[in-house]
Amino acid sequence: MPQRTAVKSAIGPLLREWRSRRRLSQLDLSIEADISARHLSFIETGRSRPSRELVLRLAQTLDVPMREQNQLLIAAGFAPEFGERSLDDPDLAPFSAGIDLVLSSHDPYPCLVVDRSWNLMRANRGVGVLLSQIPEDAPARLLYPPINVLRLSLHPLGLSSRIVNLSQWRAHVLGRLGREAATSNSAQLRDLFDELMEYPGGLDAESIEGVAIPLILRTDGGAELEFVSMVSTFGTAHDLTLAELSIETFLPANAQTADAMRQLVGEESPLSGESGR
């Protein structure tokens, strides 16, 4: 009688890594995903191959990002679940138009769209005011696409020279980026975090007061603009492009900033008259 050959699958180590990242035991995950701990153990050791439906159930239980869910499916021998298209794809036209509407409706206050790696996708005229404050001797790589907004804001020759509360803002930005890198297990985000940590400016989270961390920016004319930021995402997106987009809006924290932005956006800026496409 021929011997049974063990089923080998590359998904086991990946699944075990995600379970460890979420700090769940096999028993914990099996209970939450409604499978037996024995079956889960067999999947992780490569003795059993899960169905497509089970891979997705385990991934969703572990809160695995959509891009990494595709990787789990591929490792298990299945086609990816989530597609990825350009934001200019005709099928995404309604979403693209909606994004442009959000951007323009927030003028004169800065509003921008970034991908998962914090690369600038689109921006309104208010963002042009912020870009106009970047020193003229800023390295070219900071300003040519893809523009990484976190690198641009914290680089010593970028916007950081204008940030009054730099140590507080760095603590806020790097704290958020560190959490995103840990949650997504993205090598790009980890590399970006390591790079930004090397920049000067300090990390002062202890002196932060109030309910939100402001961005306080000193302009060429010496005025101070104070903003609080708000980040929005497409929570029900079934496409990687939309799921990985974030819209960040910088709202004026006081009347002086609101008045200044109304005046500054009326002047010539790098994005004047555009939505940042």
Side-chain angles (χ1 to χ4, degrees):
M1 179 178 296
Q3 295 182 343
R4 180 182 298 174
T5 303
V7 178
K8 294 295 182 182
S9 175
I11 190 177
L14 284 177
L15 186 61
R16 183 165 56 249
E17 179 182 352
W18 278 107
R19 179 174 59 77
S20 298
R21 297 184 71 85
R22 299 301 186 248
R23 299 183 179 181
L24 292 175
S25 67
Q26 285 186 342
L27 180 59
D28 292 334
L29 178 56
S30 66
I31 292 174
E32 291 191 30
D34 194 25
I35 66 171
S36 71
R38 178 183 175 87
H39 189 188
L40 178 59
S41 176
F42 277 18
I43 294 172
E44 289 192 358
T45 57
R47 297 176 64 186
S48 177
R49 177 185 174 186
S51 66
R52 180 185 183 85
E53 292 72 19
L54 182 53
V55 172
L56 290 172
R57 192 198 318 165
L58 289 169
Q60 291 161 7
T61 302
L62 289 168
D63 195 24
V64 177
M66 288 167 52
R67 185 174 296 275
E68 283 68 30
Q69 288 190 43
N70 278 349
Q71 293 177 358
L72 286 171
L73 285 167
I74 293 172
F78 302 109
E81 174 74 5
F82 306 105
E84 182 175 15
R85 290 167 286 190
S86 166
L87 192 55
D88 295 321
D89 188 287
D91 288 342
L92 298 185
F95 299 96
S96 179
I99 289 172
D100 285 341
L101 179 61
V102 170
L103 291 173
S104 61
S105 66
H106 278 89
D107 270 326
Y109 313 127
C111 184
L112 51 86
V113 181
V114 296
D115 62 16
R116 185 171 80 158
S117 298
W118 288 92
N119 294 316
L120 183 65
M121 305 293 290
R122 293 184 184 177
N124 68 357
R125 292 185 299 153
V127 173
V129 171
L130 302 188
L131 294 180
S132 69
Q133 305 304 312
I134 297 172
E136 294 181 357
D137 59 349
R141 76 183 187 97
L142 295 181
L143 300 172
Y144 285 99
I147 298 175
N148 187 279
V149 298
L150 298 189
R151 178 181 293 115
L152 182 63
S153 66
L154 297 186
H155 194 282
L157 294 178
L159 201 60
S160 68
S161 61
R162 301 285 189 181
I163 300 177
V164 176
N165 59 331
L166 179 58
S167 61
Q168 291 181 343
W169 186 250
R170 275 176 50 83
H172 165 64
V173 169
L174 290 172
R176 179 173 61 183
L177 179 59
R179 291 189 295 272
E180 291 176 354
T183 300
S184 67
N185 196 29
S186 165
Q188 283 184 313
L189 290 183
R190 289 197 302 270
D191 290 344
L192 180 61
F193 177 84
D194 292 340
E195 176 189 341
L196 300 188
M197 280 292 293
E198 296 297 320
Y199 293 169
L203 292 170
D204 184 7
E206 299 298 326
S207 65
I208 295 174
E209 299 179 357
V211 296
I213 301 167
L215 169 64
I216 307 175
L217 195 68
R218 183 178 293 110
T219 67
D220 282 331
E224 289 189 358
L225 305 176
E226 185 170 345
F227 303 95
V228 290
S229 68
M230 178 179 66
V231 178
S232 305
T233 59
F234 289 92
T236 58
H238 200 73
D239 181 275
L240 280 177
T241 302
L242 295 178
E244 295 180 350
L245 288 181
S246 295
I247 302 176
E248 184 161 19
T249 306
F250 291 87
L251 303 173
N254 51 50
Q256 291 79 7
T257 298
D259 290 340
M261 287 302 300
R262 281 193 286 269
Q263 294 177 4
L264 289 168
V265 167
E267 301 172 359
E268 184 177 357
S269 69
L271 298 179
S272 181
E274 301 179 8
S275 65
R277 285 195 173 192

